[in-house]
Amino acid sequence: MNYGRILQSQQAFFQSGATLPVSFRKTALSLLEGAIQSRRAEIETALAQDLGKSRQEAGMTEIALVLEEIRFAKRHLNGWSCAKRVRTPISHWPGRQRIQPVPYGSVLILSPWNYPFQLCMSPLASALAAGNCAVVKPSELAGHTAQAICALLGEIFPPEYVSVCLGEADTAAALTALPFDKIFFTGSGAVGKKVLAAAAQNLTPVTLELGGKCPCLVDASADLQTAARRIMWGKILNCGQTCVAPDYVLVHRSVRDAFIRQCRAAAEEFLGVNPLASPDYGRIVDEAHYQRLLRLLEGCRILFGRETDSNTLRLSPTLVDDPPLELPVMQEEIFGPILPVLPFDTLGQAAGIVRQNPHPLAAYFFASDKKALAAMQNAFSYGGCCINDTVLQLASPHLPFGGVGESGMGQSHGRYGFLTFSHLRGIYRRWGSWEPDLRYPPYNEKKLFWVEKSMRL
């Protein structure tokens, strides 16, 4: 496939101005919405084949989120896309200033395997809402879903508007070497660095949604049953293969044992005494990731879990007891159903453990004491948080989603996704021909006086 020719055709289509009218963008979003609804069964089947997702999990975490993103954009697109007046300083009178969001042009979307439908189609919806053309490259590790995406988009959009490029790492490398107007990447930090380095050769702006070790802090004042249920749900969702999954729990020492009992009870409530047989529990994406997770458990004390099935690549939810911080399970992003539990005595001690790793994409705080919650929220840096819950911050189109530091750069979802794929063009319009001559030479003391006065120097 000639990727350069695809980009050239999209650039020509964009230059025609076809994507600029809001009516065109809304029509495109409606076509996308309709195609997803008509192909829902096909998408669910693909997700089950790739990751063992149940129909409900596929609906909740993949299809419904994309449809909500599309509908939210359609409802708000008129307001998002119009120019906004801003204050005009006296030095610019008589005139008017405004900010106009304009599309970048042709954008590249590189999506991961863990939520292969949602994390491809949600940024695509934002890109189309902003008026761009797009090339999407789904992950080859979720091949059935990639094929479903290719068929869906090929049915409703011409390739000069939206194109799908299937392939492995070499395809992504070839695409990132091209002079796209914007790149949106979701995946690991290691690959994100490669994308950023490639984009730098063309000075292409990049949004990176990465990950990190997302901590849960459980205060002694927390409702332990509720905290355990919500943390365990966040961990078993997609078998823990979620960029904002709880990675480890720091729990106050005084409630540690009670919290662990509640976690065991929650796991049995959700998946039964034999979680590997549960139809609601998915699987690890491939053999390499499955073996990686087993290696992370080496040298760990297991509180419960660690049942395995190498034929189906399933690993039961597994709690690890207070692992040393130098073990790989506390150094690497787990991205699986393993949950280390570490006790702490003071918030400073807990925050110190968190700060040993790069800034996480998300953090989760459980407490009923308001002072404890306030202290937790300001104890370290993170991309976003949930208070007394997990993961759900990801599902709101009203909230920006994105990381800080090594967990990413840029934001997505709702208006923030629209702005990610838009350039904010500043526009100043001058009225009439009259103007003070302060800015024009020859300069003198009188002019300097009025310039300094107007600038408050």
Side-chain angles (χ1 to χ4, degrees):
M1 183 178 289
N2 190 323
Y3 306 124
R5 189 169 298 168
I6 292 173
L7 177 57
Q8 289 173 0
S9 69
Q10 290 203 347
Q11 289 172 333
F13 185 68
F14 178 76
Q15 289 300 325
S16 74
T19 68
L20 298 183
V22 172
S23 58
F24 179 91
R25 308 182 201 183
K26 286 186 175 181
T27 298
L29 291 172
S30 294
L31 285 172
L32 186 58
E33 179 184 3
I36 292 170
Q37 290 174 323
S38 66
R39 288 177 173 264
R40 176 167 180 165
E42 178 185 334
I43 297 164
E44 290 172 345
T45 298
L47 291 167
Q49 291 172 315
D50 286 330
L51 289 154
K53 293 192 179 188
S54 66
R55 283 190 63 200
Q56 181 163 336
E57 185 170 317
M60 282 193 314
T61 65
E62 302 259 13
I63 299 170
L65 291 183
V66 175
L67 290 174
E68 174 59 20
E69 195 74 39
I70 294 170
R71 292 163 183 162
F72 192 82
K74 286 168 62 179
R75 285 197 303 271
H76 296 280
L77 191 51
N78 285 349
W80 291 348
S81 59
C82 68
K84 305 292 192 302
R85 282 189 61 180
V86 294
R87 184 177 177 181
T88 303
I90 192 170
S91 60
H92 289 61
W93 287 1
R96 180 176 295 174
Q97 298 183 154
R98 56 196 175 100
I99 299 172
Q100 175 69 62
V102 295
Y104 277 105
S106 182
V107 304
L108 172 63
I109 297 169
L110 302 168
S111 59
W113 53 263
N114 59 325
Y115 289 88
F117 188 76
Q118 183 231 130
L119 293 178
C120 177
M121 304 300 271
S122 286
L124 175 62
S126 295
L128 300 185
N132 297 281
C133 301
V135 172
V136 299
K137 195 280 177 189
S139 172
E140 69 279 7
L141 294 184
H144 296 93
T145 306
Q147 290 289 345
I149 290 171
C150 187
L152 186 155
L153 295 178
E155 178 184 66
I156 57 175
F157 297 133
E160 64 268 22
Y161 180 40
V162 178
S163 186
V164 182
C165 294
L166 301 180
E168 300 190 9
D170 57 339
T171 299
L175 288 168
T176 54
L178 295 175
F180 280 91
D181 299 296
K182 173 81 180 189
I183 296 177
F184 188 102
F185 170 79
T186 306
S188 70
V191 179
K193 291 176 182 179
K194 295 179 181 179
V195 171
L196 194 59
Q201 302 307 306
N202 296 304
L203 297 181
T204 300
V206 178
T207 293
L208 300 176
E209 291 195 350
L210 307 176
K213 296 184 73 63
C214 302
C216 297
L217 272 67
V218 181
D219 183 61
S221 67
D223 180 327
L224 296 182
Q225 182 182 30
T226 299
R229 293 180 85 248
R230 293 174 181 174
I231 291 171
M232 290 303 296
W233 173 80
K235 175 52 78 171
I236 69 172
L237 189 70
N238 200 30
C239 282
Q241 299 168 119
T242 305
C243 58
V244 292
D247 193 279
Y248 60 101
V249 178
L250 296 162
V251 58
H252 196 275
R253 192 178 301 275
S254 64
V255 295
R256 170 199 175 274
D257 293 344
F259 173 76
I260 292 170
R261 288 194 297 271
Q262 293 293 343
C263 286
R264 183 190 292 270
E268 292 186 3
E269 175 192 351
F270 298 152
L271 302 176
V273 294
N274 184 9
L276 302 187
S278 172
D280 299 318
Y281 191 54
R283 65 173 178 82
I284 309 306
V285 66
D286 64 11
E287 178 71 24
H289 284 276
Y290 177 74
Q291 293 298 330
R292 178 186 63 82
L293 291 170
L294 296 184
R295 286 194 296 271
L296 287 182
L297 289 173
E298 293 176 2
C300 294
R301 296 193 303 270
I302 307 301
L303 291 165
F304 67 81
R306 210 197 175 288
E307 295 90 357
T308 61
D309 186 334
S310 58
N311 294 320
T312 60
L313 302 182
R314 282 182 164 85
L315 169 65
S316 67
T318 303
L319 255 66
V320 173
D321 182 27
D322 195 13
L325 299 183
E326 63 272 13
L327 283 186
V329 77
M330 289 303 298
Q331 294 291 317
E332 302 174 19
E333 183 179 8
I334 293 173
F335 225 67
I338 300 169
L339 188 64
V341 178
L342 297 86
F344 71 87
D345 297 299
T346 67
L347 178 59
Q349 179 190 10
I353 293 173
V354 176
R355 293 194 197 105
Q356 292 190 28
N357 291 301
H359 303 320
L361 182 57
Y364 303 111
F365 307 115
F366 291 84
S368 59
D369 182 89
K370 292 182 179 179
K371 289 184 178 179
L373 280 176
M376 286 177 174
Q377 290 177 72
N378 296 300
F380 50 86
S381 181
Y382 48 87
C385 75
C386 269
I387 297 171
N388 293 324
D389 213 329
T390 64
V391 178
L392 292 184
Q393 81 280 8
L394 175 69
S396 172
H398 299 276
L399 293 175
F401 179 76
V404 60
E406 292 191 28
S407 60
M409 60 179 71
Q411 297 173 326
S412 62
H413 295 180
R415 178 173 177 266
Y416 305 96
F418 172 86
L419 292 175
T420 285
F421 288 102
S422 300
H423 167 64
L424 297 182
R425 177 182 290 164
I427 302 170
Y428 168 55
R429 181 174 181 178
R430 191 65 178 263
W431 304 112
S433 59
W434 177 88
E435 60 185 346
D437 65 350
L438 296 179
R439 63 174 171 169
Y440 298 119
Y443 300 128
N444 55 46
E445 289 299 319
K446 183 178 180 181
K447 287 183 179 181
L448 177 61
F449 171 79
W450 286 108
V451 166
E452 292 181 340
K453 187 176 181 64
S454 66
M455 298 178 68
R456 298 179 182 177
L457 295 178

